[in-house]
């Protein structure tokens, strides 16, 4: 196979995104009842840039008293928001969508600074998709009876929403937009390491004139989340995060009237058949596992290649990995940004050690690692088995495990041999193989000849330990409604 040495022959000049246009406060308060207020404890924690270790801002830590205030405010606001003419509700949501678009560049830069993801991803994926969710659900606000005909849809009440650090603004949009469209009010908590774009969203919400208390944003760590989960005056918990915390939430709300949707972890199978367009498939493998440094619940972290093409696919993959640019998330050349936190970097490193100990053969691209910040080079493991822990457990980093298969039956069995059931990818020229696999793979989302494609109109969610319920599309609306008939 002829090779192009991209690293030797191509030299990229830096193409840094500007930061002059962003406005950040030194300190952020809680957004409760339409205004920014200090936390009862007066405690603030630092949020840092994972690519440099620099402190960006300080964030208020909400405790029991603050969560209670936020819930009271949401409960009060529910009385009028749920009765507001749905067309008017739609207008507010539409306005928020427009304002996110207007401030897209600021949101994108802050998302990359706070979370470590490459600017190309936050600019082209996170922020446009977040606006897209608000636009989409704005359209449904006055059409709920058509969405669910012969039923009388009613809002649930106050929704407690807890989101993770991998797609902060996008996850906030996934949760806030459908809840508002259905007439619910909200108490939302972003993840401790990535609160900034949610707080900027709070500024947008304030500026949009949305009635006070309809959306409340409380910041803090896991304890703040558990105060929301345990609060007796919350009607629904919408959670995205780890399976472990998802289980804790289920235990806490068991025996109560609270509803829940849980979007949890995954260990997606990406399956390449011998008849696939190999160069496209290799791009698909790269995107599936290295997008957002692998901090993606639906990442294609288990690669299955048909045995007779495995050598060529692995060679092509190694070649392509060696051309990935790792570094400053604000550089438009960057493919692989910073790992979100030191804790997550340690988790990934521990898994890499474990993979070697289990007998896996490691390959890492030889990219230069910046002196400061949290970094992990794109990594793959060969010689792994179905029982390897790095094959079974979610690593949530840029680490791919590769196995081969001979027959369709074998790969279906192997792909389904995991406690998770969130996502999968299939690469083949044959429609019949695609239909068989989409039917037999135990995954909430199956992509064919593509990977990691998201759309507001499409439901997303998993089976088994990947969670309960769906977000997006009409399914996402239904999760915020109750029906009389
Ligand atoms: P967590 O489940 O710990 O966190 C998700 C959210 O829940 C965060 O806002 C977190 O707060 C909050 N939280 C933590 N503990 C509790 C609790 N007891 N009650 C209520 N809320 C709580 O996931 P992490 O962000 O720490 O990531 C760890 C692992 O989770 C990853 O390695 C990955 O496996 C998985 N994950 C899956 C995601 C998905 O999209 N399916 C997304 C993110 C993570 P805080 O962060 O402030 O502590």
């Amino acid at each position: 196979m002829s090779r192009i040495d991209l690293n030797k022959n191509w030299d990229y000049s830096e193409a840094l995104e500007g930061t002059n246009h962003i406005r950040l406060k030194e300190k952020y308060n809680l957004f409760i009842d339409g205004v920014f207020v200090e936390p009862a404890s007066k405690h603030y924690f630092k949020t840092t840039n994972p690519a440099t270790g620099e402190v960006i801002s300080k964030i208020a830590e909400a405790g029991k008293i603050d969560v209670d205030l936020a819930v009271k405010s949401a409960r009060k606001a529910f009385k009028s928001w749920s009765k507001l003419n749905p067309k008017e509700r739609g207008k507010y949501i539409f306005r928020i969508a427009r304002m996110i678009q207007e401030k897209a560049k600021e949101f994108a830069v802050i998302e990359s600074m706070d979370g470590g993801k490459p600017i190309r991803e936050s600019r082209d994926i996170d922020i446009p998709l977040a606006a897209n969710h608000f636009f989409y659900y704005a359209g449904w606000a006055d059409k709920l009876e058509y969405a669910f005909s012969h039923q009388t849809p009613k809002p649930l009440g106050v929704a407690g929403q807890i989101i993770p650090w991998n797609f902060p603004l996008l996850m906030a949009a996934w949760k806030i937009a459908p809840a508002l469209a259905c007439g619910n009010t909200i108490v939302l908590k972003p993840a401790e390491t990535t609160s900034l774009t949610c707080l900027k969203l709070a500024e947008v919400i304030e500026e949009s004139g949305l009635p006070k208390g309809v959306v409340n944003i409380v910041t803090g760590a896991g304890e703040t989340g558990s105060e929301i989960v345990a609060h007796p005056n919350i009607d629904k918990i919408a959670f995205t995060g780890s399976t472990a915390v998802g289980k804790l939430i289920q235990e806490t709300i068991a025996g109560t009237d609270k509803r829940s949707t849980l979007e949890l972890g995954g260990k997606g199978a990406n399956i390449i058949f011998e008849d696939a367009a190999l160069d496209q498939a290799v791009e698909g493998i790269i995107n599936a596992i290295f997008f957002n440094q692998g901090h993606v619940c639906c990442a294609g972290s288990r690669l299955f290649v048909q045995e007779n093409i495995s050598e060529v696919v692995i060679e092509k993959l190694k070649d392509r990995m060696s051309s990935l640019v790792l570094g400053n998330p604000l550089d438009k050349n960057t493919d692989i940004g910073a790992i979100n936190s030191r804790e997550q970097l340690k988790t990934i490193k521990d898994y890499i050690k474990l993979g070697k100990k289990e007998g896996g053969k490691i390959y890492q691209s030889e990219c230069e690692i910046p002196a400061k910040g949290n970094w992990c080079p794109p990594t793959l493991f060969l010689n792994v088995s179905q029982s390897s822990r790095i094959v079974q457990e979610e690593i949530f980093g840029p680490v791919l495990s590769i196995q081969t298969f001979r027959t369709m039956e074998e790969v279906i069995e192997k792909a389904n041999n995991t406690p998770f059931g969130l996502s999968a990818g299939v690469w083949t020229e044959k429609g019949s193989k695609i239909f068989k696999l989409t039917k037999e793979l135990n995954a909430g989302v199956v992509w064919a000849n593509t990977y990691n494609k998201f759309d507001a109109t499409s439901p997303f969610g998993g089976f088994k330990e990947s969670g309960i319920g769906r977000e997006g599309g009409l399914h996402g609306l239904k999760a915020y409604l109750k029906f009389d008939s």
Side-chain angles (χ1 to χ4, degrees):
M1 195 176 75
S2 65
R3 287 192 168 167
I4 310 169
D5 188 346
L6 292 162
N7 286 339
K8 255 195 207 136
N9 299 325
W10 297 78
D11 215 3
Y12 292 103
S13 300
E14 265 191 342
L16 290 182
E17 181 59 76
T19 53
N20 295 342
H21 60 289
I22 66 166
R23 287 177 302 112
L24 282 174
K25 296 178 192 159
E26 268 175 39
K27 193 170 94 169
Y28 279 91
N29 282 319
L30 310 169
F31 186 63
I32 298 178
D33 208 28
V35 284
F36 285 90
V37 292
E38 287 190 350
S41 66
K42 308 270 187 273
H43 281 160
Y44 291 81
F45 58 92
K46 291 173 187 163
T47 190
T48 55
N49 182 336
T52 60
E54 281 159 21
V55 175
I56 310 175
S57 186
K58 283 194 206 135
I59 314 278
E61 188 181 308
K64 197 180 175 70
I65 297 172
D66 309 294
V67 169
D68 190 50
L69 265 182
V71 176
K72 282 194 175 119
S73 147
R75 178 62 59 198
K76 198 167 132 222
F78 179 69
K79 284 188 196 142
S80 45
W81 179 250
S82 58
K83 295 199 182 73
L84 188 69
N85 182 336
K87 204 183 264 177
E88 295 306 311
R89 282 208 305 262
K91 282 187 197 167
Y92 282 112
I93 305 169
F94 188 75
R95 196 177 301 156
I96 294 168
R98 287 294 305 271
M99 290 173 74
I100 293 174
Q101 277 191 325
E102 281 159 18
K103 295 174 195 286
K105 204 168 167 188
E106 188 181 9
F107 271 114
V109 170
I110 296 172
E111 201 72 299
S112 284
M113 283 171 68
D114 204 24
K117 62 175 70 201
I119 186 71
R120 282 207 324 263
E121 291 177 7
S122 41
R123 182 194 65 191
D124 299 345
I125 297 167
D126 292 59
I127 312 304
L129 273 181
N132 187 222
H133 267 79
F134 280 101
F135 277 123
Y136 173 71
Y137 283 112
W140 275 121
D142 63 346
K143 300 175 196 70
L144 296 177
E145 66 268 37
Y146 303 107
F148 306 102
S149 54
H150 307 299
Q151 297 174 79
T152 318
K154 289 199 175 138
L156 297 174
V158 177
Q161 305 182 326
I162 300 168
I163 59 170
W165 43 261
N166 53 344
F167 293 94
L169 185 71
L170 183 56
M171 288 301 106
W174 278 29
K175 295 208 168 8
I176 294 175
L180 291 186
C182 296
N184 300 279
T185 55
I186 292 162
V187 177
L188 176 136
K189 187 196 92 69
E192 189 185 359
T193 57
T194 53
S195 305
L196 284 179
T197 46
C198 284
L199 291 161
K200 291 302 285 186
L201 180 64
E203 290 177 1
V204 161
I205 287 169
E206 187 184 29
E207 214 182 313
S208 74
L210 188 78
K212 287 180 191 311
V214 172
V215 174
N216 302 274
I217 295 183
V218 289
T219 42
E223 295 75 47
T224 312
S226 54
E227 292 297 346
I228 294 177
V229 174
H231 199 289
N233 236 336
I234 283 185
D235 303 288
K236 183 210 161 108
I237 298 295
F239 171 78
T240 300
S242 61
T243 300
V245 174
K247 285 180 183 171
L248 274 180
I249 291 175
Q250 273 193 318
E251 276 171 30
T252 310
I253 65 173
T256 73
D257 289 340
K258 278 192 190 110
R259 303 207 183 181
S260 65
T261 38
L262 306 172
E263 297 291 344
L264 310 176
K267 194 78 187 174
N270 204 6
I271 302 168
I272 320 289
F273 282 96
E274 60 185 347
D275 58 38
L278 291 192
D279 289 337
Q280 283 92 324
V282 168
E283 280 309 305
I285 299 167
I286 295 281
N287 169 267
I289 183 61
F290 301 129
F291 170 55
N292 199 23
Q293 295 72 249
H295 302 326
V296 184
C297 50
C298 52
S301 49
R302 290 180 302 148
L303 177 64
F304 294 97
V305 191
Q306 199 150 18
E307 196 177 77
N308 52 336
I309 54 159
S310 66
E311 244 176 68
V312 63
V313 168
I314 290 163
E315 278 314 297
K316 279 176 184 280
L317 186 57
K318 285 180 177 172
D319 259 11
R320 183 65 180 94
M321 277 169 73
S322 69
S323 72
L324 294 174
V325 178
L326 176 146
N328 186 349
L330 290 184
D331 186 337
K332 289 167 210 156
N333 296 311
T334 295
D335 299 305
I336 309 285
I339 298 300
N340 182 266
S341 63
R342 266 198 226 150
E343 294 71 32
Q344 188 59 23
L345 181 60
K346 183 178 177 312
T347 303
I348 298 168
K349 284 186 169 168
D350 287 348
Y351 271 112
I352 290 177
K353 261 191 224 153
L354 179 69
K356 289 184 199 163
K357 216 167 129 195
E358 286 179 322
K361 194 170 156 211
I362 188 172
Y363 171 81
Q364 289 186 309
S365 57
E366 286 170 9
C367 42
E368 213 173 293
I369 302 290
K372 281 193 211 155
N374 313 323
W375 308 96
C376 178
T379 303
L380 64 80
F381 272 101
L382 297 161
N383 287 357
V384 294
S385 67
Q386 285 284 299
S387 59
S388 306
R389 277 185 57 197
I390 59 159
V391 171
Q392 287 295 326
E393 296 174 20
E394 189 182 35
I395 300 175
F396 227 61
V399 183
L400 176 68
S401 64
I402 305 183
Q403 296 174 78
T404 58
F405 68 94
R406 287 183 188 165
T407 64
M408 173 106 84
E409 286 63 38
E410 181 191 349
V411 78
I412 291 170
E413 202 168 314
K414 281 180 166 172
N416 285 337
N417 180 19
T418 156
F420 298 106
L422 189 56
S423 59
V426 183
W427 297 81
T428 169
E429 293 287 281
K430 287 256 186 301
S432 54
K433 280 186 194 160
I434 292 173
F435 285 126
K436 183 163 171 66
L437 280 150
T438 45
K439 225 171 89 198
E440 300 207 11
L441 289 175
N442 207 347
V445 186
V446 183
W447 286 288
N449 294 323
T450 187
Y451 207 96
N452 277 337
K453 288 277 177 288
F454 306 98
D455 193 282
T457 62
S458 170
F460 183 91
F463 299 112
K464 302 194 282 185
E465 296 217 345
S466 290
I468 297 168
R470 296 289 178 266
E471 289 187 320
L474 285 180
H475 297 67
L477 276 179
K478 203 171 180 183
Y480 284 98
L481 290 168
K482 56 187 173 191
F483 299 93
D484 279 348
S485 59

